[in-house]
Amino acid sequence: MERLDSLLCRLEKVTILLEAAVVNNMYRTSPIKISSESGNPSSIKEFHEIVTSPLSEYVRNSFEIGDIVGNHASMVKQCFLMQEGIIKLAAECSKPSDSELKLIITPLGNLIEEVIKFKDNNRSSNFFNHLSAVAESVTALGWLSDTVAPSTYVKTMQEAGEFFTNRVLMEYKNNDTIHRAWKKSLMSVWTALQVYVNKHHTTGLVWNARGKPAVASKLSKSSPTREVNSNCSAQSPPVLTASHLAAMSLVCV
């Protein structure tokens, strides 16, 4: 029985450590590494700045409101991280065939659909207007498929979301200021994205004509947070091994 209690204690400490790491990483993004093969390093850098600044503030404000809004924001962050991977791929590789491009973009589309489903599955939530604002505006990330006026598309989706953020302000006009801060931070994300797209991808996603053709299988092996190297393949993140766990000195006393 004592051995079981000791084991449960150790597992509890591991859980606490891992949860702490997740929360810590939620608001901290590692400095971005840009390959020397990148044809447009400023494009990568400036998109990363959206992730580390307005997006991080939006996620932080969302969790301050409540877990359901915060979890929804975390899903949006995953969409941005996946799009960041596609932008890195485009900066280092040449444009693939239409069929291959569809395979590259489809996983992002699936993530966006999950964000929308989350709203639909929580219609009884007190924060349904918050969820609706996000679900309506997250489709702005679909600018990758627009080859005419992608920045205008982003603005249109932002305006669709703003309809619901205005409802949020009306609903909580007599409450604390966090809901106003939340609305401002969410809109700042889409404003920053619109400016970014208009500057770097005026008529659609720009690829590196001097790079090797992009292949979907290379990108699909990576998670949204992994990097793309100069060979247009994904680098695996470090693995938590038994030696790492041992180094944590998880001893119950």
Side-chain angles (χ1 to χ4, degrees):
M1 189 65 179
E2 290 182 359
R3 292 180 63 185
L4 178 59
D5 289 341
S6 178
L7 177 60
L8 291 175
C9 181
R10 289 170 183 268
L11 289 174
E12 183 179 2
K13 286 195 173 186
V14 170
T15 300
I16 292 172
L17 283 170
L18 292 177
E19 288 178 346
V22 169
V23 173
N24 188 43
N25 288 330
M26 185 178 297
Y27 301 120
R28 183 183 66 190
T29 305
S30 301
I32 193 168
K33 295 180 180 179
I34 301 175
S35 168
S36 59
E37 300 295 323
S38 174
N40 192 357
S42 62
S43 171
I44 300 174
K45 181 177 180 293
E46 290 179 27
F47 188 88
H48 190 68
E49 288 172 354
I50 297 176
V51 174
T52 58
S53 185
L55 182 65
S56 292
E57 182 179 359
Y58 153 65
V59 173
R60 188 179 301 110
N61 287 336
S62 296
F63 273 101
E64 189 168 340
I65 290 174
D67 284 347
I68 191 168
V69 181
N71 291 336
H72 206 204
S74 293
M75 296 171 70
V76 174
K77 182 175 181 179
Q78 288 302 307
C79 291
F80 268 87
L81 292 175
M82 180 167 283
Q83 183 156 109
E84 184 174 42
I86 295 173
I87 288 172
K88 289 180 183 178
L89 187 71
E92 298 169 7
C93 303
S94 59
K95 185 176 181 180
S97 64
D98 289 343
S99 59
E100 197 71 21
L101 178 59
K102 183 177 180 181
L103 293 176
I104 291 171
I105 294 178
T106 294
L108 174 59
N110 292 338
L111 277 181
I112 292 173
E113 287 183 8
E114 289 301 315
V115 174
I116 297 171
K117 287 180 182 178
F118 187 90
K119 178 263 297 184
D120 293 334
N121 292 336
N122 290 279
R123 291 184 175 276
S124 61
S125 170
N126 292 331
F127 302 116
F128 185 67
N129 282 327
H130 295 72
L131 304 183
S132 296
V134 174
E136 289 294 325
S137 57
V138 72
T139 50
L141 291 171
W143 67 266
L144 290 173
S145 301
D146 192 322
T147 57
V148 179
S151 65
T152 300
Y153 175 78
V154 173
K155 182 174 178 58
T156 300
M157 297 303 101
Q158 177 184 16
E159 291 172 348
E162 192 168 22
F163 173 81
F164 289 97
T165 59
N166 289 336
R167 283 189 172 186
V168 169
L169 294 186
M170 288 294 295
E171 184 178 1
Y172 293 94
K173 60 183 178 181
N174 296 323
N175 290 55
D176 57 56
T177 60
I178 184 57
H179 298 281
R180 288 196 294 273
W182 178 86
K183 186 248 182 170
K184 182 180 179 181
S185 61
L186 176 61
M187 291 296 103
S188 293
V189 170
W190 305 126
T191 297
L193 181 63
Q194 183 192 356
V195 171
Y196 166 82
V197 172
N198 188 56
K199 178 179 179 180
H200 294 286
H201 306 279
T202 309
T203 56
L205 181 62
V206 176
W207 296 81
N208 184 351
R210 295 177 297 177
K212 298 178 181 179
V215 181
S217 60
K218 300 292 185 181
L219 186 63
S220 64
K221 291 178 182 178
S222 65
S223 69
T225 56
R226 296 185 199 174
E227 297 177 0
V228 177
N229 63 24
S230 59
N231 293 321
C232 305
S233 61
Q235 295 177 338
S236 299
V239 178
L240 189 64
T241 64
S243 60
H244 291 128
L245 291 174
M248 293 178 182
S249 300
L250 301 175
V251 178
C252 296
V253 294

